Amino acid sequence: MLAGRGKNKTFPNPMVGCVIVKDGRIAGEGFHEYFGGHHAEVNALKKAKEKSKGATLYVTLEPCNHWGKTPPCTDAIIKAGISRVVAAMKDPDPRTAGKGFEKLKNHGIKITTGVLAKNAARLNAGYINALKGRKSHVIAKAAMSLDGKIATKTGDSKWITSPAARAFAHQLRSDVDGILAGINTVIRDNPGLTSHGHGKNPVRIIIDPSLRIPVKSKVLDNQAPAIIFHGSGNRRKEKILKNKGALLQRVLILNGVINFKLIIKKLAKMAIYRVLIEGGGETLAAALNSGVVDEVFFFIAPILIGGRQAITPFEGHGIAKIANSLHIKAWSVKKLGKDLLIKGKLK
């Protein structure tokens, strides 16, 4: 998809593609290449040039009708002489939200909407949810053995899954805006939480109630921004972390449990619309129990670990009755190397 070529580059703006057709032939095409750059319509119009007059413009989203970092696309479309606009969906941004279509109609341009609307909505789910005041989209990810262990009783977890599964997971990291882990994982494994060259690095988000993070942790190496949610900590430690570029966010902690819903709400306000949680077991349990998780990605390797003290992906107190268990919907299974990926939705 043309719009998808702007993936990971346009946030907090949406991904948009545009194709201009004249006499049954493509006269020009373009996409929103990066935040602050020309919109898809303008890029397509520049390529089509004089062929735009009397042509049909196909676009992912309603053309904008407001000034931002760039002028309104509606003005450019009108000036170019486009006769018809086919848009997948209306822009939920209140600055446009139907006003773009109205302006084009007032200038004699025919409007068609709803073509592949569901595809467009899926493409820009984070953007749409944020504008509607919803929380960020949250994915819970875990790699485990066939008997449901993410690490041995000694904490060893490298490597449970195959290179193919790990490559897929690294690609998944590049597809999200932020990757979240608990402080125990940071201290025990010292992960970098990067995409390992599979794309852009997500923002690192660390849950650290008592601000125990070691100052030499890889997540503070400036390969990507780091946000630390904490409830306490001395000023000297805070100053050191800020000097290393970390953004500190205080949140309420009750009985040692951090408020996950508040964290996800804060992340949405920071334009971090897609969040990947990578554990460990206590962090995943807190997220699942708080009801913030939308999807699960569980990688299962054909190995057995065993042991009552071995770590599982869903720790905490657990659920007392099967009737109260969390049900995965619209699930699917995919083979990655020797492993299986089971993914599904909780909402």
Side-chain angles (χ1 to χ4, degrees):
M1 185 182 291
L2 185 60
R5 292 173 63 182
K7 190 175 186 177
N8 302 324
K9 301 173 185 176
T10 65
F11 270 120
N13 285 349
M15 290 177 278
V16 179
C18 178
V19 177
I20 296 172
V21 176
K22 179 73 174 287
D23 298 328
R25 298 191 176 203
I26 294 177
E29 60 181 33
F31 65 98
H32 185 28
E33 298 177 9
Y34 58 91
F35 176 64
H38 291 302
H39 290 187
E41 298 94 321
V42 172
N43 286 331
L45 288 168
K46 283 185 174 182
K47 291 181 179 178
K49 297 180 180 179
E50 67 279 356
K51 293 180 181 178
S52 296
K53 191 171 183 179
T56 297
L57 182 148
Y58 296 86
V59 66
T60 311
L61 197 67
E62 175 184 6
C64 68
N65 188 45
H66 62 274
W67 279 84
K69 289 184 177 294
T70 58
C73 288
T74 49
D75 290 350
I77 292 170
I78 293 166
K79 184 178 179 180
I82 292 290
S83 63
R84 182 186 177 210
V85 169
V86 179
M89 61 179 287
K90 181 171 77 173
D91 190 342
D93 188 331
R95 294 174 296 178
T96 294
K99 301 182 185 73
F101 290 148
E102 184 178 355
K103 184 173 182 178
L104 294 174
K105 284 181 182 178
N106 290 339
H107 283 78
I109 297 174
K110 297 179 181 179
I111 303 296
T112 302
T113 62
V115 180
L116 298 176
K118 289 183 179 180
N119 301 62
R122 277 196 298 270
L123 179 71
N124 286 305
Y127 166 77
I128 294 168
N129 288 345
L131 284 171
K132 290 183 177 180
R134 298 174 184 168
K135 70 175 185 67
S136 297
H137 185 84
V138 180
I139 302 169
K141 174 255 178 185
M144 71 189 78
S145 62
L146 192 59
D147 55 341
K149 311 294 185 180
I150 63 172
T152 67
K153 63 181 180 181
T154 65
D156 182 42
S157 61
K158 295 181 180 178
W159 297 103
I160 287 178
T161 52
S162 66
R166 297 200 298 275
F168 185 95
H170 293 151
Q171 180 61 56
L172 180 60
R173 289 179 178 181
S174 75
D175 290 341
V176 299
D177 305 304
I179 180 170
L180 186 151
I183 186 58
N184 290 332
T185 296
V186 172
I187 292 174
R188 183 184 66 243
D189 299 337
N190 192 22
L193 300 181
T194 67
S195 67
H196 289 258
H198 287 263
K200 76 166 182 63
N201 290 327
V203 174
R204 281 84 70 94
I205 306 159
I206 309 302
I207 308 298
D208 186 6
S210 301
L211 215 57
R212 296 186 292 129
I213 186 169
V215 295
K216 293 185 178 181
S217 298
K218 290 180 181 178
V219 293
L220 300 174
D221 62 10
N222 292 318
Q223 287 194 53
I227 303 172
I228 302 174
F229 286 95
H230 68 107
S232 62
N234 62 67
R235 291 185 178 180
R236 181 174 176 274
K237 183 71 171 287
E238 290 180 7
K239 185 177 180 180
I240 293 172
L241 293 172
K242 287 179 180 178
N243 287 338
K244 290 184 72 68
L247 175 63
L248 303 185
Q249 295 282 304
R250 280 187 179 269
V251 291
L252 180 65
I253 296 176
L254 295 175
N255 300 320
V257 178
I258 206 155
N259 190 326
F260 240 108
K261 287 186 177 180
L262 179 59
I263 288 174
I264 299 305
K265 186 176 182 180
K266 282 180 174 285
L267 291 175
K269 289 183 177 180
M270 297 165 74
I272 300 175
Y273 300 130
R274 285 175 58 82
V275 180
L276 176 65
I277 300 178
E278 286 207 4
E282 294 292 343
T283 301
L284 282 175
L288 287 163
N289 288 332
S290 67
V292 302
V293 177
D294 299 284
E295 286 186 277
V296 294
F297 280 64
F298 279 11
F299 298 84
I300 302 176
I303 62 172
L304 300 172
I305 292 176
R308 293 187 182 90
Q309 295 179 317
I311 306 169
T312 68
F314 195 175
E315 295 278 294
H317 295 296
I319 293 171
K321 295 185 178 181
I322 294 296
N324 298 326
S325 60
L326 302 178
H327 289 261
I328 309 301
K329 305 170 184 177
W331 59 274
S332 63
V333 180
K334 181 177 182 178
K335 196 170 186 298
L336 295 168
K338 65 178 182 179
D339 308 313
L340 296 179
L341 165 61
I342 297 181
K343 64 178 182 177
K345 298 180 179 179
L346 280 168
K347 298 179 181 181

